[in-house]
């Protein structure tokens, strides 16, 4: 947020430099990112002086140029060639001297000594648009006769420099979203640091109704969404350009002036944080303002000329016939003040933050008003700001205040009562702060001390401090004003030695696996835990009923917590593929979140919620492309399977002790799962379903694996890593070509083989699959290799044949396999 240095000084008196002010604000939690010197006129009229034209003659070599002699208030007059038709002797003019930099938009040029058609010119007599004080280029500026030659133009035009402080307001500091709000905090800082500062704001004591000629009634039908609404009319105004001082104030902080009435409302919101709205009173049909909701789907055209369909929970400002404004968010197309407006109705209100936030998000609108209402404005400033606005309209636009304030306050704002114990203050801060200092700080922050004991204070915190409702919040305020740097760092460190815990082991293994995957060509990604609930619509395994939904989502695209890492990775794949990077291998560690309605417990709010730490792998595109040594080769699910098995092996798991089975899942077209013997799923992987890829706008096949890292950590607790000497006896390999049914998987063959021979059989591998001609319908051929090795002797043919015969028989009996 942009804060004007000079504007800030209107509310609190101080003599800190802009840089010192920025440092002070940063030290109390209002981080100031930068300080920029600005002028109402670019360049600040530096180098420009008032001159008097002593003589003016025609240029000897031109029919439109003139040679002038100009007194600049110094000893010697200067000669300037001027092309303006209105230049004449005796005029008081504005002169750009040598070295002056003049601006034309973002471009600039410097005045230099030159010859114009053979005649020397030392300077330039300026027009309005050339120095930025106007837009006219009809001729040079001619000043009144009383202008004194030699006067600096910046003094003549009263040009003053200002500084804009870029203050980063955190979401909890709604009270600092204005110049007066920042001034309040700065006042507390100045008081604590020994400065004699006074906090003040303009008086509205002169406010009164001039007559009762234009009474507009106010009715609030929805007091939950609008606890406080007030309005007043001003009759006979003249809508025109704002005075220069008001335009300058707004322009300095980046707000474009519109007209005097609208500029006053913008001034109030940036001065005091209270959004206002100005209605053309002639368009309030029926002479009544009604605050209510409209039926679902009601069309409403906003100020940006976009027709929007209203939600049944959009709070609207209406007249007797139709809606005029989305409360706290955006005005209607035909409700605001224009140059034709004569009578105005000024609105000042407190709208419930949640109602405003939800309406703004529903319609994709973000305005200065919604920004403040969403965070919570000062409910006690509603009437003050309305009175000030009415007085300013009367002063700057004329007219009369033609009604009493229509004030509907359903629920008056209450102070937050906080019990503050000195012992807790000192405990949390880590330093004993004097009681008088604590009292001075809380008082300077406008907290009222309602009771005082030896142990602590009872405080009434003003309702505009929505972030200070607990004792620890007050202590945070005390500390930031006291100064973080004033809390000494102790010279001793108190610590206790701890053994390495489960989290430490898990983190070490995460790094180990991450290094392994990076070595295999993977890139790590990090996606948002918030996701789009629509991804889960129609799913059973990842049911929408199990989503942990956000109560106040920032947008519909980020309205719940993810149940799987899949969709974030698909978004990353689509992003890269759209930029011609379709061959991808990604991995991500992250939490997944679940909601179980059956576990609801009124005493334990978090009981239905759980989270699991997962590892996701994504493979898509080509495994090999554009290689001179290898033909292009597409990635496959078997490539992913190898990566999955290598992760399990690296963690120390024995694949022979795990159970591999088929998996029917919403997100996969076909998939396998690897489980422990106790039935816990360690990882599921397979080919992502076409409908999911289509929804993600991805053309290539995507192969995905998701590990349950928590279950993996449990599984490896009982895994024992052992080693033994390499066998001295040779291994023997035998191959079988098996004709089996199409629905039989290799895992079943492997399982039966190891059950048949547990001692000598070391490895079973599939090296060829054939389906097609010369095979029976519904059959396929697997070529399987069996590695046999005895640790104590060399195997002979008789022993080998006996083992293989037994293997073949069991495969025939249990799977119906036949040798080809």
């Amino acid at each position: 947020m942009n804060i004007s240095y000079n504007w800030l000084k209107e509310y609190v008196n101080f003599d800190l430099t802009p840089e010192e002010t920025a440092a002070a604000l940063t030290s109390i939690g209002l981080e100031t990112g930068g300080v920029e010197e600005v002028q109402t006129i670019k360049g600040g009229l530096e180098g420009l002086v008032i001159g008097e034209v002593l003589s003016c003659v025609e240029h000897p070599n031109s029919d439109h140029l003139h040679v002038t002699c100009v007194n600049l208030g110094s000893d010697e007059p200067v000669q300037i060639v001027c092309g303006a038709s209105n230049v004449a002797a005796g005029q008081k003019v504005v002169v750009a001297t040598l070295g002056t930099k003049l601006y034309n938009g973002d471009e600039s040029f410097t005045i230099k000594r030159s010859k114009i058609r053979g005649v020397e010119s030392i300077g330039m007599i300026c027009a309005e648009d050339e120095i930025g004080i106007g837009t006219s280029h009809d001729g040079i500026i001619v000043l009144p006769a009383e202008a004194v030659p030699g006067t600096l133009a910046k003094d003549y035009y009263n040009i003053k420099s200002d500084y804009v402080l870029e203050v980063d307001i955190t979401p909890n500091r709604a009270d600092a979203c204005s110049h007066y709000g920042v001034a309040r905090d700065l006042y507390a800082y100045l008081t604590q640091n020994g400065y004699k500062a006074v906090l003040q704001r303009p008086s509205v004591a002169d406010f009164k109704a001039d007559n009762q000629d234009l009474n507009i009634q106010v009715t609030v039908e929805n007091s939950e969404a609008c606890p406080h609404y007030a309005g007043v009319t001003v009759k006979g105004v003249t809508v025109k350009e704002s005075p220069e001082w008001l335009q300058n104030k707004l322009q300095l902080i980046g707000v474009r002036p519109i007209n005097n009435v609208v500029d006053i409302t913008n001034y109030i919101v940036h001065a005091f944080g209270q959004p206002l709205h100005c209605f053309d009173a002639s368009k309030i049909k029926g002479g009544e303002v009604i605050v209510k909701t409209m039926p679902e789907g009601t069309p409403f055209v906003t100020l940006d000329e976009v027709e929007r369909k209203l939600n049944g929970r959009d709070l609207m400002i209406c007249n007797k016939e139709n809606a005029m404004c989305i409360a706290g968010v955006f005005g209607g197309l035909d409700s605001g003040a224009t140059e034709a407006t004569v009578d105005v109705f000024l609105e000042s209100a407190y709208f419930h933050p949640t109602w405003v936030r939800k309406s703004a998000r529903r319609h994709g609108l973000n305005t200065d008003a919604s920004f403040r209402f969403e965070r919570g404005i000062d409910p006690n400033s509603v009437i003050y700001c309305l009175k000030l606005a009415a007085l300013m309209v009367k002063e700057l636009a004329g007219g009369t205040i033609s009604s009493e304030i229509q004030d509907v306050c359903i629920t008056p704002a209450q102070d937050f009562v906080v019990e503050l114990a000195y012992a807790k203050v000192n405990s949390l801060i880590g330093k004993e702060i004097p009681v008088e200092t604590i009292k001075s700080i809380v008082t300077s922050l406008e907290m009222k001390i309602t009771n005082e004991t030896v142990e602590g204070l009872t405080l009434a915190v003003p309702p505009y401090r929505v972030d200070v409702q607990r004792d620890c919040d007050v202590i945070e305020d005390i500390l930031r004003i006291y100064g973080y740097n004033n809390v000494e760092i102790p010279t001793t460190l108190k610590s206790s030695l701890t053994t390495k815990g489960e989290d430490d082991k898990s983190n070490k293994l995460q790094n180990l696996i991450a290094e392994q995957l990076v070595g295999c060509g993977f890139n790590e990604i990090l996606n948002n835990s918030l996701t789009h609930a629509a991804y889960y619509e129609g799913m059973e395994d990842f049911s929408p009923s199990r989503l942990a939904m956000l109560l106040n989502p920032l947008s519909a695209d980020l309205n719940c917590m993810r149940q799987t890492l899949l969709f974030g990775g698909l978004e990353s794949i689509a992003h890269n593929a759209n930029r011609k990077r379709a061959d991808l291998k990604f991995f991500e560690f992250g939490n997944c979140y679940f909601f179980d309605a059956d576990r609801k417990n009124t005493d334990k709010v978090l009981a239905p919620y759980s989270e699991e730490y997962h590892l996701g792998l994504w493979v898509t595109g080509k495994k090999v492309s554009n290689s001179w040594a290898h033909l292009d080769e597409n990635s496959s699910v078997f490539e992913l399977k190898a990566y999955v098995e290598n992760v399990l092996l690296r963690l120390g798991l024995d694949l022979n002790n795990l159970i591999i089975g088929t998996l029917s899942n919403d997100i996969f077209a076909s998939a396998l799962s690897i489980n422990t013997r106790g039935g816990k799923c360690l990882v599921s992987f397979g080919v992502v379903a076409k409908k999911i890829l289509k929804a993600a706008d991805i053309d290539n096949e995507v192969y995905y694996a998701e590990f349950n890292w928590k279950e993996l950590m449990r599984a490896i607790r009982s895994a024992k890593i052992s080693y033994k000497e390499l066998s001295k006896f040779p291994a023997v390999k035998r191959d079988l070509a098996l004709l089996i049914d199409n629905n039989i998987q290799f895992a079943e063959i492997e399982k039966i083989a190891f059950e048949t021979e547990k001692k000598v059989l070391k490895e079973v591998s599939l090296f060829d699959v054939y389906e097609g001609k010369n095979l029976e319908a519904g059959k396929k051929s697997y070529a399987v290799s069996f590695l046999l090795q005895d640790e104590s002797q060399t195997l002979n043919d008789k022993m080998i044949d006996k083992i293989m015969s037994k293997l073949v028989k069991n495969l025939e009996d249990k799977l119906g396999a036949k040798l080809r």
Side-chain angles (χ1 to χ4, degrees), residues 145-182:
E146 57 267 21
V148 179
T151 303
L152 297 178
K154 65 180 180 181
D155 294 336
Y156 180 84
Y157 285 104
N158 196 27
I159 300 300
K160 295 181 179 179
S161 291
D162 196 357
Y163 295 85
V164 172
L165 283 64
E166 186 183 339
V167 180
D168 298 326
I169 305 296
T170 52
N172 63 311
R173 292 302 308 276
D175 63 293
C177 292
S178 66
H179 282 75
Y180 188 73
V182 173

Side-chain angles (χ1 to χ4, degrees), residues 201-221:
R201 62 181 183 178
S203 172
V204 293
D206 294 338
F207 176 87
K208 66 177 181 178
D210 298 312
N211 53 59
Q212 302 294 323
D213 294 347
L214 185 59
N215 281 307
I216 293 177
Q217 298 301 311
V218 172
T219 302
V220 177
E221 293 186 3

Side-chain angles (χ1 to χ4, degrees), residues 216-219 229 284 287-291 317-319 324 345:
I216 293 177
Q217 298 301 311
V218 172
T219 302
Y229 190 95
I284 302 177
E288 184 177 4
V289 170
I290 307 168
V291 185
I317 310 300
C318 310
N319 55 40
M324 300 185 293
F345 175 80

Side-chain angles (χ1 to χ4, degrees), residues 4 7 24 45 99 133 204 215 236 254 304 311 330 460 480 584 645-646 658 692 702 709 730 738 755 769-770:
S4 161
W7 195 344
L45 301 186
I133 66 167
V204 293
N215 281 307
D304 55 0
N311 182 278
F330 213 30
R480 67 185 181 84
L584 303 165
E645 290 180 345
N646 285 337
L658 301 176
I692 291 178
V702 176
W709 191 259
L738 302 172
E755 288 176 351
V769 179
Y770 176 73

Side-chain angles (χ1 to χ4, degrees), residues 110 486 586 695 736 766:
T110 303
N486 293 327
F586 288 149
L736 295 178
L766 178 67

